[in-house]
Amino acid sequence: MILHRLLQLIFSFLYQKQRKQNSSDEKADNDIQSLELTEGQIHNWFDKQKEKLSDELLTKLKKTDPYVFEHMMIELMTRMGYEGADGEALTKLMIEYKVGVQVQHTFELLEIDNDFFDKRDN
């Protein structure tokens, strides 16, 4: 409940700041102070902000020099815990998702097709 109220206050402050920039109407300022937000509205607002940030980040990443991008990915993996002793976990994920590896041979494990024999018995 406290977190919910804190988020309402933060959202209200940010909304009020934006409205003041866009309009000097005193009535709008009074309306903002009586603004009551639901938890869902707060979550939606944060989700939209995260989506906007994600889009901006992707745009920047697409323009990033490959060498710099490589170092960014190393930093990301380090922060995710893939360093030192976690190297084994990293290699397992690389193999699982076929990153840096390729299929050399494919093997088939066969079993009896009982449906084939059931049709023949009838």
Side-chain angles (χ1 to χ4, degrees):
M1 186 66 173
I2 293 172
L3 178 61
H4 176 73
R5 184 65 185 140
L6 178 62
L7 291 174
Q8 280 185 326
L9 291 172
I10 291 169
F11 184 79
S12 180
F13 172 77
L14 293 172
Y15 183 75
Q16 184 177 17
K17 185 177 177 182
Q18 183 178 4
R19 290 287 294 232
K20 281 184 179 180
Q21 290 174 351
N22 295 338
S23 171
S24 61
D25 185 5
E26 288 184 25
K27 184 180 181 310
D29 289 342
N30 291 334
D31 290 344
I32 291 169
Q33 292 186 4
S34 65
L35 181 65
E36 284 295 321
L37 299 171
T38 66
E39 190 172 338
Q41 289 171 316
I42 294 169
H43 283 288
N44 287 341
W45 184 82
F46 274 98
D47 288 345
K48 287 178 184 177
Q49 297 308 309
K50 190 184 286 186
E51 186 177 318
K52 181 181 173 190
L53 179 61
S54 179
D55 291 344
E56 291 172 5
L57 185 58
L58 183 58
T59 299
K60 284 186 107 26
L61 287 173
K62 287 179 178 180
K63 296 176 183 176
T64 302
D65 175 74
Y67 180 77
V68 173
F69 181 80
E70 179 182 1
H71 285 279
M72 288 176 173
M73 293 305 102
I74 291 169
E75 175 70 20
L76 174 62
M77 291 166 55
T78 300
R79 290 186 187 194
M80 291 172 64
Y82 295 110
E83 62 180 321
D86 290 323
E88 186 177 329
L90 175 60
T91 58
K92 286 180 181 178
L93 287 170
M94 289 178 74
I95 292 169
E96 180 180 347
Y97 292 100
K98 295 178 178 66
V99 175
V101 297
Q102 62 185 2
V103 176
Q104 181 179 10
H105 294 286
T106 302
F107 298 94
E108 294 179 307
L109 180 61
L110 304 175
E111 67 180 6
I112 300 291
D113 181 359
N114 288 320
D115 291 338
F116 174 81
F117 287 100
D118 288 344
K119 287 184 217 175
R120 303 279 181 197
D121 291 339
N122 291 329

